[in-house]
Amino acid sequence: MKILAHCKKAIPSREAGGKVIIIDVVISSTSGPLLEAELLMDVGMILIGKGQQRDENKWCDLFKKAGFSDYKTVKKLGIRGIFEVYP
């Protein structure tokens, strides 16, 4: 959250084209062919980095806490999602 808050301070307003682009794994809320890979990434993050993978709702909460007003999710790249986060 601290990194996102600093990013928000460093970018111009949305009207001036400001946005942060994040590419990360997004855990889906439904089962599918990639669910196993998503869950394995989650376990890896817990074991290696003491972190966690997030579903879209958790990402949204993180963006709001960091002070961003809106975001757009474009899920591509298999289990990875692309977020455009706007100040």
Side-chain angles (χ1 to χ4, degrees), residues 61-81:
D61 292 341
L62 185 64
F63 299 149
K64 287 180 182 178
K65 287 178 184 176
F68 287 92
S69 63
D70 195 16
Y71 75 97
K72 179 175 134 181
T73 302
V74 181
K75 188 163 181 172
K76 293 183 179 180
L77 308 171
I79 63 174
R80 288 184 176 87

Side-chain angles (χ1 to χ4, degrees), residues 38-53:
E38 294 169 356
L39 295 176
L40 286 173
M41 290 291 293
D42 193 30
V43 170
M45 285 293 294
I46 291 169
L47 294 174
I48 295 170
K50 298 181 183 179
Q52 65 176 341
Q53 297 299 331

Side-chain angles (χ1 to χ4, degrees), residues 4-30:
L4 284 174
H6 285 291
C7 289
K8 184 180 180 298
K9 291 177 187 176
I11 61 174
S13 68
R14 184 175 186 171
E15 294 77 24
K19 65 181 170 183
V20 175
I21 297 174
I22 299 170
I23 301 173
D24 204 347
V25 173
V26 180
I27 301 294
S28 62
S29 58
T30 60

